[in-house]
Amino acid sequence: MEQASTGRTSPAALWGLIALFTVSGFSGLIYESIWTQYLKLWLGHAAYAQSLVLTIFMGGMALGAWWVGQRTTRFKNLLIGYAVVEGIIGLAGLGFHGMFTGSVGFAQSTVFPALGDSTWVDVLKWTFAATLILPQSVLLGMTFPFMSGALLRRYPDTPGHGIAALYFSNSLGAAVGVLASGYVLIPAAGLPGTVLTAGSINVVLALVVYLWAKTPGWTDLEPAAPVPAGDAIGAGPVRLLLLVALLTGTASFIYEIAWIRMLSMVLGSSTHAFELMLSAFILGLALGSLWIRGRIERLGNPLGFLGGVQLVMGVLAIGTILTYHETFVWMAELMRGLGQNDAGYALYNAVSQGIAIAVMLPVTICAGMTLPLITFLLLKGGVGERSIGHVYAANTVGAIVGVLFAIHIGLPALGLADTIVFGAAIDIIIGLVLVVRARGRSPAVIGCGVVMAAVLASGLSLELDAKRMASSVFRYGKLGQLEKATVPFAGDGKTATIHIVDYGEGLHGILTNGKTDSSLQVDPDKYSSRSLDEYNMSLLPALPLAAHRSARRVAVIGFGAGLSTHVALGDPNLEVVDSIEIEPRMIEAARLFAGRVGRAYDDPRSVFRFEDARTFFATHQQLYDVIASEPSTPWVSGVASLYTEEFYRQVRNNLTENGIFAQWLHGSELSMDLTALVGRTLGRVFDDYLVFNLNGHDAVFIASKNGPVDLDPAWPFGVQPLSGDLAAVNLTSARDVAIRYLGNKAVLDPWFQTYGTSVNSDYFPLLDLNAVEARFKRQFAARFYNLRTLSVPIVEMLGPDWAADRLQPVNTEQEFGYAAQLRSVDGYVDALTGAGSIPEIPGSEPWRERLGADRLAARGCGATDVAVPWWNAVNFMTTNVLPATGPDRGRQLVQWLAAQCASLDQRQQHWLALMDALATRDAAMMVTHGKRWLEGDGQEHLVRKNVALSAALLGLLIADQAEAALGLWQEHGGETLISPELDLLSPLVKRKAGR
């Protein structure tokens, strides 16, 4: 067995330790990532909660490192100490999920209601968070001084070489662990499985190290011999170097927080983007340690070199502001060249990390050199093994200071650019102090100081390009679209950077981290540029109020432009509207829209709650009649936690007995699978829900706590000033609400189940993991949003009575795709039959183009079923016209068709009879004529077979004959037929038939 070396480090033992410590770093970053996610579920995503989690984690590590540093000489075998620590960490990891869920459940069900006062609830939550992860954090902090101390005892002649190697290996493992956790482990096993994996790794690691520690060469190694007093560097330099370790940690984490905020406007602020950025940051630290490892023993003046590294780091940090400007160009070029597919998404992630590396790597490589250098200086100065833990602890304390400063002082008070310059000033001042101490006050050193002062001054003059930051380049790959726009507001908050963009013609957008959250037309006379978001913000409060017409207390999650709160306050019967907003800068910025959202600021019933929504509802025991949730899109980090089963159960507990919950859901960047996931999750918690298509691209679920949703679509139009707010976005009648209806829980839940059975959970965050990919691929749940355009009026006939109300006209200025289709269809029938014309409205062109050909085809009756113009025209009228007409116009069309031919064969007569049943929504006749067609008339034509089978199934369901419907579906090959109509009907038939 190899014996202790007195020369160069033995490759076998050293690389064995490096491999083990790489694994330790891998599992350690998994813990940090997972604990943060768990505790955010408990504490929320507000800035103070993020700070608290980081403070507990890093503070515990500092304590652990300091404790070992103070006592390292008392341990005979440091590897055994390391093995014991890793083993305890692993065992704690194996039991973490059970401890967390059990404690949270007990606190929320028993302790919180007993405490009542929110202050004591907060104290308990913080105490619980500290109790849960502080012991493991302390243990994690012990691992580095134990391992590096063991290495130092084994190879005392090359301390710098070995220490730098361990810093490298641990950081490299951490960089990989971040990516493995987010991209592999959590998707595969959820949070419980991921923390279980980390715990298992630690247990195995502990056993391996323990057995290794018992081998010859590692037992009874003595600490390094004490250095004679005359040769020691003295207390002053020791304190200076520990202060340097602390301050460089402060600067580095100031950079990290600022860079992550900045790059979120280039890469997007998704969870995966954060993981890529964090991995890039840690990778730089690893490479810096690797570079210095091969040189540290040969440095002639390591103190002066350390000072130079600090100076270079500060200058490069200021340079990142300039590099940042170019990253938008890189991302724009990338987005223009990528396909919206799996390969494109993989390349998008790879290049995104490359962009993060390009910004961070030069500085973080320098940062990675500092701790090995400081530790080496202390070891060479005779401080001994304790220096390892002390340096690690001081640096970690500095990191805590950096995080707290950046989040709570730097970003809000200085802004992004000047926060980085502040961090650079720390590094430059440290560097100058060290250079002076190492080389004296020579002219060269004085000149260096002058140059550094000039660099800092120039850094303060740098400004970030607000238009680029607000360009959403990670979504659209464009930079020039804001060339003519202005940015009247730009502010950095504790949790996000907020911009308001004036696009011209009165249209404004409010953006969070470069992503548009709301857009608003501040000039109500400019209807031509009306924002689609205004339908969301107007209907989101109006619809749940129409389902709870005696509501008194309302909560709105997510302030945005403020229009949702403003519209809710249009109900004079309300007593309070609480707007729950995590970022105060959002409220500040939206004041620019006061002309449109004045009640949100001026009405005494309006209350701002600056808090994370999860924390707010978990802490406050107030009950609400209506809770309307309008957060940002789910791909934004943290937002998907507002779409989980656990959050919905919490919200349900905060509703009165007849309470209504409204959940907004964007559709323009969400797949059908994820849309169904949200529907399944809501359906798991709430008794019933109705869904409305707000603007063609977004939806809202109106869910009831108890019993069916009783929504009156006419109610908002009889309430002032609420009706005036709706009229401002061209909503003037119950019909404008009814045409947006997409279905209820009874119809949609069986369909949603066909897309999977899982739900979105805190511990299995499927929405968070997959929404960013859907965004990149620009997926759209077309089948969901097009339910009202099916060939058979399934949604209408299975819905409430008002869903079929076609007596009132659709507003002619309605900016909604289905509304345009309704007006075009009515005009098409009138024009076809000679009773009118197709209106000149957007979307009417295809109908106008068909008119002449369809009129001609209707006169050319024939019996041949292949490519006959008559059948082609009739197919179109059946599948596209009848579902969007009322009974009168539908029958008008059928009668006109029958009158065009001198004689119709039996098949044509049968089909017109089915068309008449569909036009008049006669369920019994739909069954009769649907069956007749299926049993004897041209089943080979799939379009007509689908219509006939769907019509018959729908009629049987309305007649409550589910068994007969199932038999008919099976008889006519339902399993082999593929159509949107049967996709919706077949799971409903099976559920009602008990299959």
Side-chain angles (χ1 to χ4, degrees):
M1 180 61 65
E2 177 192 20
Q3 299 301 312
S5 171
T6 58
R8 296 292 295 171
T9 306
S10 171
L14 175 60
W15 287 109
L17 287 175
I18 288 175
L20 290 171
F21 214 45
T22 301
V23 175
S24 178
F26 178 87
S27 64
L29 248 293
I30 291 177
Y31 284 126
E32 180 182 0
S33 173
I34 295 299
W35 289 345
T36 299
Q37 293 195 53
Y38 271 102
L39 291 185
K40 282 182 179 179
L41 298 173
W42 176 244
L43 300 171
H45 288 75
Y48 75 87
Q50 298 177 30
S51 304
L52 182 63
V53 172
L54 285 170
T55 299
I56 295 170
F57 179 74
M58 291 190 293
M61 292 184 68
L63 287 172
W66 188 267
W67 187 88
V68 174
Q70 291 291 93
R71 294 164 176 79
T72 180
T73 56
R74 302 180 187 179
F75 292 90
K76 288 187 176 182
N77 192 325
L78 294 178
L79 274 189
I80 289 182
Y82 173 85
V84 170
V85 167
E86 288 282 7
I88 297 173
I89 292 171
L91 292 175
L94 295 178
F96 182 83
H97 180 74
M99 282 192 300
F100 181 85
T101 54
S103 301
V104 167
F106 175 73
Q108 291 181 338
S109 64
T110 306
V111 181
F112 285 178
L115 289 175
D117 185 85
S118 61
T119 301
W120 284 110
V121 170
D122 285 340
V123 170
L124 177 65
K125 291 173 72 172
W126 298 336
T127 303
F128 166 75
T131 304
L132 195 63
I133 71 168
L134 185 60
Q136 294 98 301
S137 299
V138 170
L139 292 169
L140 281 171
M142 295 180 181
T143 58
F144 186 83
F146 267 132
M147 180 64 85
S148 54
L151 181 69
L152 179 63
R153 291 184 184 183
R154 183 71 183 270
Y155 307 107
D157 294 344
T158 55
H161 184 273
I163 294 298
L166 289 182
Y167 272 115
F168 160 71
S169 64
N170 197 243
S171 298
L172 180 64
V176 176
V178 171
L179 299 180
S181 175
Y183 283 89
V184 179
L185 294 175
I186 296 177
L191 300 188
T194 301
V195 74
L196 193 65
T197 299
S200 301
I201 289 172
N202 285 115
V203 170
V204 172
L205 184 63
L207 291 174
V208 171
V209 173
Y210 182 82
L211 294 175
W212 194 347
K214 291 293 188 179
T215 61
W218 291 104
T219 56
D220 298 323
L221 289 174
E222 295 297 328
V227 175
D231 296 331
I233 62 174
V238 170
R239 286 195 293 267
L240 173 63
L241 288 172
L242 291 179
L243 180 62
V244 169
L246 185 148
L247 291 176
T248 195
T250 298
S252 295
F253 273 78
I254 287 174
Y255 300 148
E256 181 186 15
I257 298 297
W259 286 336
I260 287 174
R261 176 72 63 81
M262 289 164 60
L263 286 170
S264 68
M265 285 168 265
V266 181
L267 312 182
S269 51
S270 67
T271 298
H272 283 330
F274 171 79
E275 291 159 353
L276 293 172
M277 290 184 272
L278 182 58
S279 177
F281 184 89
I282 300 171
L283 177 64
L285 300 179
L287 293 178
S289 298
L290 178 64
W291 188 89
I292 200 67
R293 168 180 170 266
R295 297 164 176 83
I296 195 168
E297 303 284 353
R298 302 195 302 269
L299 294 175
N301 187 344
L303 185 65
F305 188 84
L306 175 61
V309 169
Q310 297 287 164
L311 291 173
V312 171
M313 183 158 51
V315 173
L316 290 174
I318 293 174
T320 63
I321 301 173
L322 300 175
T323 306
Y324 177 62
H325 185 78
E326 296 303 313
T327 60
F328 290 94
V329 179
W330 303 340
M331 179 56 73
E333 293 295 331
L334 172 68
M335 292 298 293
R336 282 195 290 268
L338 287 180
Q340 294 165 7
N341 49 39
D342 290 342
Y345 181 63
L347 186 58
Y348 168 79
N349 280 289
V351 176
S352 292
Q353 185 164 37
I355 290 174
I357 287 172
V359 172
M360 299 181 182
L361 203 66
V363 179
T364 52
I365 285 177
C366 293
M369 300 180 197
T370 57
L371 295 194
L373 281 167
I374 294 169
T375 307
F376 175 70
L377 284 164
L378 291 173
L379 289 171
K380 284 296 187 181
V383 178
E385 293 175 359
R386 68 180 186 274
S387 63
I388 301 169
H390 291 172
V391 170
Y392 195 85
N395 187 255
T396 307
V397 170
I400 296 171
V401 174
V403 168
L404 295 177
F405 173 84
I407 292 177
H408 296 282
I409 300 174
L411 295 181
L414 302 177
L416 280 167
D418 287 349
T419 297
I420 289 178
V421 174
F422 184 88
I426 294 174
D427 275 330
I428 287 173
I429 291 170
I430 292 171
L432 289 172
V433 169
L434 292 175
V435 169
V436 168
R437 188 170 186 94
R439 301 185 183 278
R441 293 182 177 86
S442 65
V445 172
I446 294 172
C448 178
V450 172
V451 171
M452 291 299 105
V455 169
L456 286 174
S458 65
L460 290 172
S461 68
L462 295 176
E463 293 184 1
L464 301 178
D465 188 335
K467 287 186 180 180
R468 290 197 172 192
M469 296 167 74
S471 65
S472 294
V473 66
F474 53 86
R475 299 173 80 187
Y476 310 120
K478 299 177 181 178
L479 290 177
Q481 76 272 25
L482 298 183
E483 187 174 329
K484 297 181 180 179
T486 60
V487 183
F489 182 93
D492 298 303
K494 294 181 179 182
T495 64
T497 294
I498 309 298
H499 292 95
I500 287 185
V501 177
D502 180 353
Y503 300 103
E505 298 295 318
L507 187 63
H508 288 61
I510 187 166
L511 296 87
T512 302
N513 290 340
K515 182 260 172 190
T516 303
D517 274 337
S518 304
S519 53
L520 191 64
Q521 174 56 256
V522 297
D523 184 349
D525 295 328
K526 295 185 181 296
Y527 288 107
S528 61
S529 57
R530 176 70 61 204
S531 163
L532 291 179
D533 288 339
E534 295 180 46
Y535 292 98
N536 297 341
M537 295 182 285
S538 299
L539 287 167
L540 183 80
L543 291 175
L545 288 173
H548 195 311
R549 296 172 289 281
S550 60
R552 294 294 179 267
R553 300 187 65 87
V554 172
V556 178
I557 301 172
F559 188 73
L563 187 59
S564 296
T565 297
H566 172 85
V567 172
L569 290 162
D571 181 355
N573 295 317
L574 296 183
E575 297 172 358
V576 66
V577 174
D578 283 332
S579 298
I580 305 163
E581 174 56 53
I582 194 171
E583 179 50 65
R585 287 282 193 189
M586 183 71 77
I587 306 291
E588 178 186 348
R591 283 189 181 274
L592 273 68
F593 304 141
R596 285 292 309 278
V597 300
R599 285 195 292 270
Y601 292 96
D602 302 332
D603 194 311
R605 298 172 296 164
S606 178
V607 181
F608 296 133
R609 305 283 192 174
F610 297 112
E611 203 163 0
D612 173 82
R614 293 185 67 109
T615 303
F616 178 82
F617 287 113
T619 303
H620 296 76
Q621 302 302 311
Q622 178 64 56
L623 298 181
Y624 293 91
D625 299 304
V626 169
I627 297 175
S629 181
E630 191 181 18
S632 190
T633 45
W635 60 260
V636 175
S637 180
V639 172
S641 67
L642 300 181
Y643 292 82
T644 65
E645 179 182 2
E646 292 83 357
F647 178 64
Y648 288 152
R649 293 197 184 282
Q650 181 62 62
V651 164
R652 193 178 190 277
N653 291 336
N654 284 90
L655 287 171
T656 57
E657 283 304 303
N658 298 318
I660 297 292
F661 175 66
Q663 175 67 74
W664 170 82
L665 185 68
H666 85 302
S668 56
E669 296 172 330
L670 207 65
S671 66
M672 187 62 230
D673 287 341
L674 295 180
T675 300
L677 173 68
V678 174
R680 288 196 303 274
T681 307
L682 267 166
R684 180 79 68 88
V685 176
F686 292 96
D687 277 14
D688 188 26
Y689 59 72
L690 308 181
V691 189
F692 293 84
N693 182 348
L694 296 173
N695 57 24
H697 301 282
D698 299 281
V700 64
F701 288 74
I702 307 299
S704 65
K705 179 176 180 178
N706 293 305
V709 178
D710 176 22
L711 188 145
D712 180 359
W715 179 84
F717 303 99
V719 177
Q720 286 290 350
L722 178 58
S723 61
D725 296 327
L726 297 176
V729 288
N730 308 319
L731 299 168
T732 58
S733 73
R735 181 84 188 279
D736 294 334
V737 173
I739 62 172
R740 288 171 157 80
Y741 175 72
L742 289 178
N744 57 21
K745 181 179 176 179
V747 173
L748 295 178
D749 192 63
W751 183 51
F752 287 153
Q753 298 294 333
T754 64
Y755 289 89
T757 56
S758 57
V759 297
N760 191 42
S761 163
D762 286 345
Y763 307 114
F764 294 87
L766 300 176
L767 188 60
D768 182 62
L769 291 169
N770 295 289
V772 67
E773 182 175 356
R775 185 211 76 198
F776 172 82
K777 294 179 179 179
R778 299 183 187 175
Q779 294 177 328
F780 178 60
R783 286 195 169 185
F784 176 63
Y785 288 92
N786 292 334
L787 286 173
R788 287 302 290 267
T789 64
L790 295 178
S791 299
V792 176
I794 300 170
V795 171
E796 175 188 322
M797 294 185 69
L798 291 179
D801 292 341
W802 47 259
D805 177 17
R806 298 184 178 277
L807 298 178
Q808 300 181 71
V810 178
N811 192 314
T812 57
E813 294 182 334
Q814 187 70 270
E815 297 171 14
F816 175 59
Y818 183 51
Q821 179 182 347
L822 291 174
R823 297 195 301 274
S824 298
V825 164
D826 285 345
Y828 169 87
V829 174
D830 288 342
L832 196 68
T833 61
S837 61
I838 301 176
E840 296 281 347
I841 58 174
S844 63
E845 292 80 7
W847 300 89
R848 196 173 288 107
E849 291 171 1
R850 289 198 62 99
L851 190 59
D854 288 348
R855 185 183 288 123
L856 183 64
R859 300 192 183 104
C861 312
T864 306
D865 191 31
V866 180
V868 173
W870 189 89
W871 277 109
N872 289 339
V874 167
N875 286 347
F876 172 79
M877 295 174 192
T878 303
T879 58
N880 292 277
V881 179
L882 290 183
T885 62
D888 293 340
R889 272 202 175 87
R891 176 158 281 179
Q892 175 188 349
L893 175 63
V894 175
Q895 291 174 348
W896 178 83
L897 273 172
Q900 298 307 298
C901 297
S903 63
L904 295 168
D905 66 26
Q906 189 177 54
R907 296 169 65 253
Q908 291 170 324
Q909 292 176 24
H910 285 173
W911 191 257
L912 289 183
L914 179 58
M915 288 180 67
D916 186 72
L918 288 167
T920 57
R921 312 310 196 241
D922 188 328
M925 288 296 99
M926 286 162 56
V927 174
T928 299
H929 296 298
K931 283 184 174 181
R932 177 182 293 173
W933 182 265
L934 292 170
E935 291 166 359
D937 293 317
Q939 293 187 49
E940 71 282 354
H941 196 285
L942 291 180
V943 170
R944 290 193 288 279
K945 182 175 182 179
N946 168 63
V947 171
L949 180 57
S950 299
L953 292 177
L954 178 58
L956 288 170
L957 286 175
I958 292 173
D960 200 22
Q961 298 181 39
E963 286 290 344
L966 180 62
L968 185 67
W969 181 76
Q970 293 172 334
E971 178 185 353
H972 292 282
E975 292 285 4
T976 64
L977 292 177
I978 300 174
S979 73
E981 294 78 16
L982 292 175
D983 280 349
L984 182 61
L985 281 170
S986 58
L988 182 59
V989 167
K990 292 177 183 177
R991 177 173 291 189
K992 286 186 174 292
R995 302 296 175 90

